[in-house]
Amino acid sequence: MSDEIISRYLSDLRSRNDEVRMQASADLRLYIARLSRELPTDSFQSLNSDLNRHIFTLVNSTDPYDKLASITLITHLTPITATDDNETKLIRYANYLRMVFQHSGLSDIDQRLLREAAHALGQLAAVGGVMAADMVEFEVKRALEWLEGDRSEQRRYCAVCVLKELCEHTPTLFAVHVGVMLDRLWVVLRDVKLMLREAANEAMRACLRLIAKRSWKLRQTRYTLIWQEVLASVRAGSSESIHAGLLTIGELLSNTGEFMSQRYRETCEIVMRYREHKEKYVRETVIALIPKLAAYSPATFHSFYFRDALAYLLTSLKLASSSRECLFLALGSLSLHMRDAIVPDLDIVLQLCKEGLTARSKKAFCAEALTCVGRVCEAVGRHPRLVSQMGEVIEQMFSAGLSRTLVDALTVVSRALPSYLPSIQERLLTGLTVILTSTSLTQNKSSGSSSSSSSGPSSALRSLTLPFSFPSSFNFPLFSPSPELKPQDPAASELLLLALHTLGSFEFSRWDELLVFVRDVVVGYLEDERPRVRRQAALTCAEVVLKGSRSKAGGGAGAVSGVVAAEELSKMEERKERAMDEEKRRDDSDGREHSDSGKGRVVQRLVAGIESRQSSPSLTTIGNGTMHRTASNPSLVTAPARSATPPNLPPSPSQPPKLLLRMPTPPNLGPAIPINISPNTLPANTPHANQSPPALLNDTYLSASAILYPALITDILDRLLTVSISDPDPTIRHTILSSFHGDAHFDLFLSSPGNVHSLFVIANDELFSIRETVLSLVGRLASSYPSTVMPSLRKTLIQLLTELQYTADQRQREESALLIGHLLLSSGAVMRPYVGSILKILIVRLSDSSQPSVITCVLQTLEQLAAIGGPLLRPSLPTLLPLIVPLIEDKSSLVSKQVALRCLTALVEYTGHVIEVYVEYRRLLGVLLALLRVGVAWNVRREVMRLIAVLGALDPYRYKELTADAPATPNDNNASGEKLNTTATTIAIPPPQLPAAHNTTAATTSSMRNVNSLTALPHPHDDYYPTIAINALMSILSSSTLAAHHTKVIQALSYVARNMSASKLVTFLPHLVPPAVAILSATSPSFGGGGAAAAAAVSGGGGEASSSVADDMAVRESLLGQLIHIANIAKQHIRPYIPQLLSLSLLFLSHYTLLDHVFLLINRLSIVMRDEWRAFLSQLLPSLLSLLSTDRSPQRQLTMKTLHTFDVFGASLAPYLHLIIPALLRLCEAPDLPGTVRLACVRSIGLMARSMDVREYAGRIVHPLARLLDSGGGGSSSGSGSVPATPKAGVTSLGGGGVVSYGGVRDEVLVVLCLLVYQLQADYLIFIPMMHKILQRHAIHHERYDALIHRLLSQHPLTPHDIAQLKLSPAKDAQELVLSDDADALLIDTPPTPSTANSAAALASAPSLPALSLERTNSTGMKKLSVSQPQLKKAWEVSQRSTADDWQEWFRVLSIELLKESPSPPLRACSVLAQKYHLLARELFAPAFASCWGELSDEYEDDLVRCLEIAFNSPSIPPELITVLLNLAEYMERDGQRLPIDVAKLGVMAEGVHAYAKALHYKEMEWQLSPQQAMEGLIGIHNQLGQPDSAVGVLEWGKRELAVEVRESWYEKLGHWREALEAYEVRGLEVEGTGATEAAVGRMRCLRQLCEWERLDVLAGDVFRWSEEESVRREIAPLAAQAAWMRGKWADMARYLACMEEGRIETDFLHAVLAVEKDDWPAASLYIERTRESLDSELSALVSESYPRAYRVLVQVQQLGELEEVVEWKRCGDGERRGLIREMWSKRLHGCSEDVDVWQALLSVRSMVMQPSDGVDTYLHFSKLCRKSNRMAASLRVFTQLLHTDTATLALPTLPSQLTMQQPTVVYAYLKHLWAAGMKKPAYTKLQHFVNVLSLVKPHTSSSSASSGLTTASFAALRAKSYLKLGSWQLLLDQDQLSESNIPPVLSAYQQATLHSSTYKVWHHYATFTFRILSHTATTATSSSSSSSSSSLSHPISPPAASIVVSVRAFFKSISLAGDQALQD
């Protein structure tokens, strides 16, 4: 942002005008938000620095308005500070605000300043996130200290303001401080300063509103204490105390509900007692309390206090009290509450109001009297006494001129007294005309100053006749602005704004006249210089046009039909085009240039408008009363006479001609006002003047306006569109377009070609919000007027798609995607032909993961595209879903996750691709369930619930199969949940240009598994806490989506490592080294010489990319430093990980990344490995040598590091000297080598010569060194012995930028030569002459070299002593630290490189870890830390917790405090990160609790257990927290430290949250103590766990061992509902009274489960009639309401719902059902959302248990989703959409569990719009499920519905043949139902009849098949099944025994079945039966002594041979059809 723009905004922020300041701050906020997306990171950081600097300057200014500007800026910048440095910004802003508190006084502006600062501080706390708790704690503590300390008015005022704002903005955090605040607030409430008392009263109000949300018990306690203080205050006697008590009474009446009802009479007495108090503020408080008392209990107040109170108010007004304002307000409010009770005193009230509205010498006009009049009218209504007197009152109301109070009062009066509406309208409209035509208010752009016209509006109006006449009694001067008022005065602007606003908002009825007035007067203000005036004028124009179009659309006199309007628009457009063409031709002839583009046309309109406003007044006679435009004056001219009679008026031969007079207006104000003048409205001396002016005026004017109605609106819209293009203020442009977009009544006029073209010009506006609005508007027009809009819309769409596909600008892509989405949303089906083209480009953008924000915008557009395309997107789902599903797992952005969920929901919903998605993406359901767990934002969980509702509640068995078969993928780290210790293979810190799924190698995967290989270490094992802490931290570090927390993870790991002994650190190496290596190995390749992210970081462009690179580099640098530190401590124990570390080093070396740390790591490893390091050098040396040859940096830093590394390697390099020495010698002779590098290179050669045998390389070494000496140390490229000039004494330039002393290089070379002399001994003699010449040439003398040569020439052998004194120059590189044990400082806190300075700054500025308070040392080498028990007690205290939010905050604080106070250093190291990432605190809650538990004293342990028990017993604690506490109890028990809490209580709580495994454990423990009491619970838990055999076993054991009597409820626990129903019926006959009621309720529960709704409905009605107990009715109401729903008795359902307890899930759901039935869509949506929110907490707890546990709630979630689809079904008439919904319902149902309750729940919702006949197969399957579960009544009800008959017809011996012919499938299923119900013989008989009826139909005829809805093949299959079932039932009736009587019919039935079907089942039964016949025949033949048996058969059996052949053939046929089932055959 440039300094000019900042200065302009700051100038407006410092304005004294509130609106100007707020507008400037809002504009600045929007500008900053846009820059935050567009600017690079560095630039945006610079912007923030500038803003902070300006805020600091303003805060420290002495001008209070400067401080107010800084506060305003902070207030608007707070919402956009949610970035990585959010904490720093918020702390800075909070400090600025504290400076305001400390340096402000108590003047009026200072008070406002303090209130604004407190409000800003509250906003900061609200968005403070993890730091909010600390901020609130600090501010509250300081404020309470200021209240309690020495009396300082300024501090007290600050304190109460801060407490009030914190109470309102952070109620959950503030709730624990309410008690202390109330105690100290009374000091300020009784202060002597009135302003302090009033401020304290506001704080009291905030406290009472907070208390109202607490539990009932807490509310009553607080209210009682406050009431006692009130009584004490009023009894104290002082005026201040009495005032404090009265103020508090007012707040108690308004905010405590029914609490004051018992104290109402006493309160009234107290208030009325002080009505005559001497102090004015006390009396005014009493006056204000009177209407509050009346509102609280109108009946009681009317009976006892109304007359006295009214008399007091009236008397006070008569006495001319100085409190007239509050008296009038109180009188009006009292009238409103008492209604007709005020009528007897109405005359007095109205008289007093008139006196208040009259300005006298001693009494000023009282504006509050206007409000009083309005309230009295609203209270009394059309009472005759009021109506008769209001005329005079209304006249008096106008006496003070225009004001907002007047307009509000007139609005109320006009609604209450419609008869006065015309009079009010006329007076108000005339007054507005005076104001709007006043020259003193005009400030036109072109003039720049007010008009100098001397003629005022009054004179102009007297000489003209307006469309509305002035009343004779109207006082013009009162509405006329003051002559001294100038346009630039704020008062002038305010008056003008009010007039414009009133003109548009007040309910006028003469819209035709207003349209003319608006066109010719108000439109002129669109050119005003004041932006606020232009904006309000635009709103007024739009509002008047909108109301006028609505009135015309509603009909009435002179209404113009849509056809006429369209024709008029078309003609006007034609005339306009012709005029423009004519003008263009004329201009062309003059040699002017014109543009052919649309913008040229817009410019012409602007010019035409300016010319029209400069034209002079004229008088035109129009023969036919019509008007049209010309090019010269488009306002009003004569029209060609086409017809003498207007279209909408009857012909009248005597109709006089109408005149059009142009009223003179102020210059540059706009077009003149057209005035219709007929002879009837002319002066008296004109003809026809004696007729009634108003009537004739209205008639004649109406005739013209009716014809001109389209033209008027078109003119106004033209001007508005022109302004929306050309106005420099974007807010005005946006305001106009928003007005058009807000209502479809504009569409008819906006759809003209010219207006459409203007809209598309605006579509290229510079402001995105304007483009967004106009494209939404264009899309709506396209759906209604496609022929006009679509050509331009196609062009715009192509432009947007091109931008989205090809532009490189990220922000432009985002905007293009969003604009396409707005087009799709608004245009609807008209965009369907373009779905394919749009989808292709969206897929391309979705595939590019380098711009996450673009992906988010594309997902939003894709959501809209799915709604339009629907099934057209099905072929693309295999491409789309793999791109969307991974985004749901992204934890880095809640917004993108939420958008991805919505997009996937839309794709599934509009394509109908339900259930199959689970199969195609087997991990999806696991991911969704993980998001439902605790810790995820509610918005995300809501979208997950909606998605699951659309996909369907998958059968738990199928889910188990899918998860068992699901392949492991790299992204499976969170498929099973949000827990931190899940297996995570996704590698941290992904490169920005790569997708989230990485190519992770198998080695990486296996090493990452070590992160979670947490063995079961028994506590108090010393390795336990470090292990779980390290695993949790490494799990976060391994997640790429948690990259924002990686910095603090590394800090914590560093803390743990530094405080762990070396011996124990070794044991954790498997948990630290492999995961860290895997993380670094998988992420480093993205940062190197190439890569988009690296390029972006280097170039400085792309703020997000560069920021991501810098952050990742900082984290990677720190993690690598940790590895070096670990290697330094572990020493030889690091050896098993050397290959992995070496591979990591090579990876970084190859990409030139973090080379400082890589060299440190390599050096450390070489020292650890010593001689064994030699084996790894073959891999390292190529990369190191490559660095020597490729390093071209000015100082050759990489070369220096490489040389130092060679020095560290030492003797390990011996096998590779043939590679290293030549490279070093070449480097030495490089001409551009810096001197320091050359020196280091020679030194390295010397170190090698000292430690290794280099004799065979003597020649290669000596010659380069000789040349180096000969060249003066500068090197030579010639290789010859050329002799350069002798260098200057002192220094020598060593080429390439290094300057070292010549002696330094010379001495180093000579030292190396000495070492070579020692190694070569006599072999060096051959080099002596050459070296001697060089040394002599340069006069070089070296004592040690000369000595060695002398000894060598003397043939004395050289010894080590000869070279012992030789020393090479010391290394200057800081890397030498690696050789010592003091390197940790460099390894741990490595200074950041310039490229990562910003990111590394976060490490330096991060909060420090907890300070160590050392006590004891354990075997890990870590010292146990002290535990602050009082601090922990403060965290676990529960006395102030009463709401769900309170309990969530309690758990958050406790979990973090346990980590902060944990005696284990590893756990305490996690506390800082846990404050940022609460899931870590939740994960470590149990270990942290266990670590602290052993350190607590008995007293503190008892108190902690007490608080936990209170938490368990709290009715408001969320179920997920109950689950967490139960997990804690289980953890502690497993840890050997069982909590002293009653196991029965734990069992009840576990069962309450459906944690049945835990409940079973506790119930079994209870069983050991009391088996008989625990038996029923055990039975129920076993049944819930799906263990019915165990439940029955418990029951049988109880019968046998304990001789217990079986209770009815035990059958319910077992799920034996039929037996339970029978037992309850028996009990109902045996008992009376309460027992009978309990039995009836039990019967109702059983009937509900058995789906016998008729009996349940009857029984519920009976119980409701004879039971008057509210508890009983409340208990049975849900059962009765569901029965009424199932039977369609909606009135009864509503009656039952009224008795149900509010707030329950069942109640809200049934309310939603009833609202849907009544077509009350808003109520239905509200109740559905409330039900979903109520299900959320329960679902979160159950999902953590298991999927089967949560399945019941998931079915309810699906019910809610399908209820929303029912709403959509009823609201849309689209058959295609309904068909898709029906298809989805069918798929979902068959994907759900095969359970009757599940199917019943879903079918009940669908039955609201679907009949059973619409889904015959579905209901037949439901009947089958009912039969299997022995719910025969429900099954029978299905058949009565499907067959449209009653049970009597179905009970006939044979069913009607017609029924069989029409629905054979249903009849066949009904016969199976009869058989299952035990009526086997009737079922068999009816089946025989059914088969006979079917046999009468020929298989080849299709008529019957068509009539029955079956195809021929289906009909044949049905006959085959019928015959097969007939034979099977015959056998079953004969006990499956073959006999001579049943073999023929059974065989015949099976044979008939084979004739109609060739399925395995049919032929298998036939083959098996023939085999049984053979067996039976053989058995019979053996047992019979004669052959008469066979002859006695009525049907002879086939001979055995033939039967065998038939049987064998049948078996072969069966085998051929069997597939895999042929084994038995």
Side-chain angles (χ1 to χ4, degrees), residues 1683-1702:
W1685 173 23
M1686 293 297 100
R1687 300 197 66 191
K1689 296 183 175 181
W1690 303 106
D1692 291 346
M1693 182 179 177
R1695 180 165 56 91
Y1696 295 138
L1697 273 173
C1699 300
M1700 293 177 63
E1701 183 179 352
E1702 291 295 330

Side-chain angles (χ1 to χ4, degrees), residues 1209-1432:
F1209 287 173
S1212 301
L1213 295 174
Y1216 307 100
L1217 289 179
H1218 63 287
L1219 299 174
I1220 298 172
I1221 289 180
L1224 296 183
L1225 293 173
R1226 284 194 298 272
L1227 182 64
C1228 285
E1229 294 189 281
D1232 58 345
L1233 192 69
T1236 53
V1237 181
R1238 198 185 311 277
L1239 182 65
C1241 186
V1242 175
R1243 178 179 178 276
S1244 296
I1245 296 174
L1247 289 176
M1248 294 178 189
R1250 180 187 290 275
S1251 59
M1252 290 171 277
D1253 186 2
V1254 296
R1255 287 177 295 179
E1256 52 184 295
Y1257 310 105
R1260 301 197 65 170
I1261 297 175
V1262 172
H1263 288 294
L1265 293 180
R1267 288 194 296 272
L1268 192 60
L1269 283 176
D1270 198 22
S1271 63
S1276 174
S1277 60
S1278 63
S1280 64
S1282 60
V1283 181
T1286 303
K1288 296 180 180 180
V1291 297
T1292 299
S1293 176
L1294 299 179
V1299 178
V1300 297
S1301 65
Y1302 172 65
V1305 177
R1306 181 198 62 188
D1307 292 344
E1308 202 76 5
V1309 171
L1310 289 172
V1311 169
V1312 175
L1313 289 175
C1314 292
L1315 294 173
L1316 287 174
V1317 169
Y1318 171 74
Q1319 282 203 21
L1320 292 176
Q1321 299 281 339
D1323 293 339
Y1324 187 76
L1325 293 175
I1326 59 176
F1327 300 108
I1328 292 177
M1330 177 188 67
M1331 296 303 302
H1332 180 69
K1333 294 178 182 179
I1334 296 174
L1335 295 176
Q1336 278 190 339
R1337 183 182 306 132
H1338 296 285
I1340 299 175
H1341 301 284
H1342 192 273
E1343 181 180 354
R1344 179 52 52 188
Y1345 178 81
D1346 293 341
L1348 289 176
I1349 296 300
H1350 178 73
R1351 289 183 60 85
L1352 195 60
L1353 293 176
S1354 303
Q1355 297 184 356
H1356 292 293
L1358 302 180
T1359 63
H1361 178 73
D1362 295 328
I1363 61 171
Q1365 303 300 320
L1366 288 176
K1367 291 185 179 180
L1368 295 166
S1369 62
K1372 304 300 182 184
D1373 200 301
Q1375 307 278 356
E1376 280 276 272
L1377 286 172
V1378 79
L1379 300 175
S1380 68
D1381 292 335
D1382 299 328
D1384 289 350
L1386 180 63
L1387 298 176
I1388 302 304
D1389 301 319
T1390 306
T1393 61
S1395 62
T1396 62
N1398 293 334
S1399 302
L1403 291 170
S1405 63
S1408 59
L1409 290 164
L1412 298 180
S1413 178
L1414 305 180
E1415 284 186 351
R1416 302 177 297 280
T1417 304
N1418 58 25
S1419 60
T1420 63
M1422 290 188 175
K1423 298 186 177 182
K1424 294 189 71 173
L1425 309 177
S1426 62
V1427 177
S1428 174
Q1429 299 185 70
Q1431 193 70 18
L1432 282 177

Side-chain angles (χ1 to χ4, degrees), residues 1547-1793:
V1548 171
M1549 299 307 299
E1551 194 170 0
V1553 296
H1554 306 285
Y1556 294 114
K1558 293 182 178 64
L1560 179 62
H1561 170 69
Y1562 293 122
K1563 191 61 67 175
E1564 287 175 344
M1565 295 176 65
E1566 188 180 349
W1567 167 279
Q1568 297 174 0
L1569 301 176
S1570 177
Q1572 191 165 356
Q1573 294 182 359
M1575 181 175 295
E1576 182 176 354
L1578 268 180
I1579 293 173
I1581 293 172
H1582 277 299
N1583 192 56
Q1584 291 289 349
L1585 287 171
Q1587 300 171 352
D1589 294 339
S1590 299
V1592 174
V1594 170
L1595 180 60
E1596 295 299 328
W1597 185 90
K1599 290 180 181 179
R1600 183 179 67 253
E1601 300 294 334
L1602 302 178
V1604 296
E1605 180 182 356
V1606 180
R1607 303 172 189 169
E1608 299 85 355
S1609 58
W1610 293 7
Y1611 288 119
E1612 292 186 65
K1613 298 287 186 182
L1614 289 169
H1616 296 173
W1617 300 105
R1618 185 65 61 183
E1619 291 86 344
L1621 177 61
E1622 295 173 355
Y1624 278 124
E1625 289 175 344
V1626 172
R1627 181 184 173 191
L1629 297 175
E1630 296 175 351
V1631 297
E1632 296 180 355
T1634 305
T1637 302
E1638 293 177 355
V1641 175
R1643 288 172 59 196
M1644 294 175 68
R1645 290 196 299 269
C1646 297
L1647 291 173
R1648 177 187 185 181
Q1649 294 296 325
L1650 294 171
C1651 302
E1652 297 188 18
W1653 307 115
E1654 293 83 358
R1655 294 179 60 188
L1656 175 57
D1657 186 36
V1658 173
L1659 182 58
D1662 293 340
V1663 174
F1664 254 80
R1665 279 191 295 272
W1666 53 260
S1667 178
E1668 297 181 355
E1669 295 183 18
E1670 191 65 27
S1671 59
V1672 175
R1673 290 192 169 191
R1674 186 179 298 111
E1675 183 179 2
I1676 67 173
L1679 305 173
Q1682 188 169 8
W1685 173 23
M1686 293 297 100
R1687 300 197 66 191
K1689 296 183 175 181
W1690 303 106
D1692 291 346
M1693 182 179 177
R1695 180 165 56 91
Y1696 295 138
L1697 273 173
C1699 300
M1700 293 177 63
E1701 183 179 352
E1702 291 295 330
R1704 296 182 56 187
I1705 295 175
E1706 203 168 27
T1707 305
D1708 290 336
F1709 176 71
L1710 292 176
H1711 271 300
V1713 171
L1714 189 60
V1716 171
E1717 172 61 27
K1718 294 180 178 179
D1719 296 342
D1720 187 356
W1721 316 129
S1725 177
L1726 173 64
Y1727 282 115
I1728 289 173
E1729 193 61 29
R1730 284 173 55 177
T1731 308
R1732 187 178 284 126
E1733 191 169 355
S1734 300
L1735 287 173
D1736 172 62
S1737 59
E1738 184 177 359
L1739 187 58
S1740 300
L1742 293 177
V1743 164
S1744 61
E1745 289 291 318
S1746 66
Y1747 181 73
R1749 301 279 192 283
Y1751 188 71
R1752 177 185 59 82
V1753 183
L1754 289 176
V1755 172
Q1756 291 178 282
V1757 171
Q1758 182 175 337
Q1759 275 186 291
L1760 294 177
E1762 294 192 353
L1763 194 58
E1764 290 176 325
E1765 290 171 346
V1766 168
V1767 173
E1768 185 179 4
W1769 178 295
K1770 298 180 74 172
R1771 299 186 69 175
C1772 79
D1774 186 3
E1776 180 183 357
R1777 179 60 184 156
R1778 288 185 175 182
L1780 185 61
I1781 292 175
R1782 187 184 293 111
E1783 178 187 348
M1784 289 192 297
W1785 284 352
S1786 177
K1787 289 181 180 179
R1788 288 195 205 116
L1789 198 57
H1790 289 87
C1792 290
S1793 174

Side-chain angles (χ1 to χ4, degrees), residues 1861-1874:
M1861 299 293 288
Q1862 290 178 350
Q1863 301 191 64
T1865 305
V1866 180
V1867 173
Y1868 174 71
Y1870 170 67
L1871 298 178
K1872 292 195 291 183
H1873 161 80
L1874 283 180

Side-chain angles (χ1 to χ4, degrees), residues 1090-1327:
V1098 173
S1099 65
E1104 292 185 3
S1106 61
S1107 176
S1108 177
V1109 171
D1111 293 343
D1112 292 342
M1113 290 289 288
V1115 173
R1116 187 178 293 105
E1117 183 179 356
S1118 300
L1119 184 57
L1120 192 55
Q1122 293 304 316
L1123 277 179
I1124 299 170
H1125 175 67
I1126 292 172
N1128 194 39
I1129 295 178
K1131 300 187 185 304
Q1132 71 274 11
H1133 299 287
I1134 202 69
R1135 292 186 178 187
Y1137 310 101
I1138 291 295
Q1140 300 177 48
L1141 295 173
L1142 184 60
S1143 299
L1144 177 66
S1145 302
L1146 291 172
L1147 196 60
F1148 281 106
L1149 284 173
S1150 62
H1151 291 87
Y1152 303 97
T1153 307
L1154 298 178
L1155 292 182
D1156 289 349
H1157 287 67
V1158 171
F1159 281 115
L1160 281 171
L1161 178 61
I1162 293 173
N1163 295 341
R1164 172 55 59 187
L1165 295 179
S1166 68
I1167 295 172
V1168 170
M1169 295 295 294
R1170 299 183 183 277
D1171 294 338
E1172 298 177 18
W1173 184 242
R1174 186 173 300 173
F1176 301 99
L1177 287 179
S1178 60
Q1179 304 175 49
L1180 271 176
L1181 282 179
S1183 298
L1184 296 177
L1185 294 176
S1186 175
L1187 289 177
L1188 293 179
S1189 60
T1190 58
D1191 184 17
R1192 290 294 181 267
S1193 60
Q1195 300 301 323
R1196 301 293 178 93
Q1197 296 177 357
L1198 294 182
T1199 301
M1200 292 291 290
K1201 291 175 176 30
T1202 305
L1203 293 174
H1204 175 72
T1205 300
F1206 286 157
D1207 298 345
V1208 176
F1209 287 173
S1212 301
L1213 295 174
Y1216 307 100
L1217 289 179
H1218 63 287
L1219 299 174
I1220 298 172
I1221 289 180
L1224 296 183
L1225 293 173
R1226 284 194 298 272
L1227 182 64
C1228 285
E1229 294 189 281
D1232 58 345
L1233 192 69
T1236 53
V1237 181
R1238 198 185 311 277
L1239 182 65
C1241 186
V1242 175
R1243 178 179 178 276
S1244 296
I1245 296 174
L1247 289 176
M1248 294 178 189
R1250 180 187 290 275
S1251 59
M1252 290 171 277
D1253 186 2
V1254 296
R1255 287 177 295 179
E1256 52 184 295
Y1257 310 105
R1260 301 197 65 170
I1261 297 175
V1262 172
H1263 288 294
L1265 293 180
R1267 288 194 296 272
L1268 192 60
L1269 283 176
D1270 198 22
S1271 63
S1276 174
S1277 60
S1278 63
S1280 64
S1282 60
V1283 181
T1286 303
K1288 296 180 180 180
V1291 297
T1292 299
S1293 176
L1294 299 179
V1299 178
V1300 297
S1301 65
Y1302 172 65
V1305 177
R1306 181 198 62 188
D1307 292 344
E1308 202 76 5
V1309 171
L1310 289 172
V1311 169
V1312 175
L1313 289 175
C1314 292
L1315 294 173
L1316 287 174
V1317 169
Y1318 171 74
Q1319 282 203 21
L1320 292 176
Q1321 299 281 339
D1323 293 339
Y1324 187 76
L1325 293 175
I1326 59 176
F1327 300 108

